[in-house]
Amino acid sequence: KMSMEDVQGWTGAIGKFGGSAQDFEGTLRGLNGQLARMATIGRSRTGMLLQSLGIDAGEVGRQRNALDVLQDLAGVIEQMSPDESRGILQAIGLDPATIMLLQQGREGMKDLVRQKKEDAVYTQEDADAIKEYNVAMAGVKKGFMGIMSVLFRSVTPAFTKVAKYVGDFVKVLRRH
């Protein structure tokens, strides 16, 4: 699981190349899916491509971390032309901004992610506090919903009677 600082570091670095957090999340989801296939059945299209590049793609019972694989990829493609590396990284299913980030090379990528991580606005403590607040607010909401349902049940019969009387009164007025 990524810390809040890690998330901001990676998404900040991706943002430098025009990518978004959603793009990067999609890339990680796809790569994690392929790595999970390697860990469960021992084969995946991406796993075979990674292995052909000399990158450990995991095996049955052992799944690699997608961020570690991205770092390995950044190291491997350092010796390739931009077009060659882009073709391989696209075949793996990476989004354009992640491709451009990896094309900075392993150290260039690590430095940029580290820099963006240091610039992070939110800390893990902030994320934990927000989570705790959301849990507390969910409890408050549930409590208010309970109170409202009791009030609704007690007031509804009276409102229903008033609505029927108003409807009957309108009918009488229409006739006269």
Side-chain angles (χ1 to χ4, degrees):
K1 180 169 166 131
M2 290 176 68
S3 72
M4 179 58 75
E5 292 89 350
D6 287 337
V7 168
Q8 291 176 92
W10 280 93
T11 57
I14 295 296
K16 185 173 192 274
F17 298 99
S20 69
Q22 292 81 8
D23 295 336
F24 187 59
E25 181 183 349
T27 288
L28 286 180
R29 190 178 307 119
L31 184 54
N32 272 322
Q34 290 295 313
L35 295 171
R37 279 181 58 90
M38 287 298 293
T40 54
I41 63 173
R43 288 179 34 106
S44 78
R45 178 184 52 80
T46 298
M48 294 186 316
L49 183 52
L50 291 171
Q51 288 172 338
S52 75
L53 295 169
I55 295 174
D56 175 15
E59 60 194 5
V60 174
R62 182 179 61 85
Q63 181 173 342
R64 290 279 321 271
N65 177 301
L67 295 177
D68 293 340
V69 170
L70 290 178
Q71 290 181 39
D72 291 348
L73 278 166
V76 166
I77 65 168
E78 287 176 328
Q79 307 306 316
M80 298 179 186
S81 73
D83 288 339
E84 183 183 7
S85 65
R86 184 175 26 265
I88 289 170
L89 297 175
Q90 284 174 338
I92 291 172
L94 305 187
D95 65 275
T98 301
I99 290 171
M100 287 187 276
L101 175 61
L102 269 59
Q103 287 177 325
Q104 305 309 299
R106 181 187 291 268
E107 290 309 312
M109 180 193 70
K110 280 180 155 182
D111 288 344
L112 186 55
V113 170
R114 188 178 316 112
Q115 175 191 355
K116 295 299 181 178
K117 190 175 176 179
E118 289 169 2
D119 295 342
V121 177
Y122 298 106
T123 64
Q124 188 61 46
E125 291 81 27
D126 296 332
D128 294 342
I130 290 168
K131 184 177 179 181
E132 188 176 326
Y133 170 79
N134 286 338
V135 167
M137 289 308 293
V140 168
K141 181 179 177 183
K142 191 173 182 179
F144 274 122
M145 293 298 287
I147 291 169
M148 292 305 291
S149 82
V150 167
L151 287 173
F152 183 76
R153 279 193 301 267
S154 62
V155 174
T156 301
F159 281 146
T160 303
K161 261 187 183 176
V162 169
K164 285 181 183 177
Y165 288 138
V166 168
D168 291 344
F169 180 70
V170 169
K171 287 179 190 174
V172 169
L173 286 178
R174 273 198 222 152
R175 288 189 202 140
H176 299 305

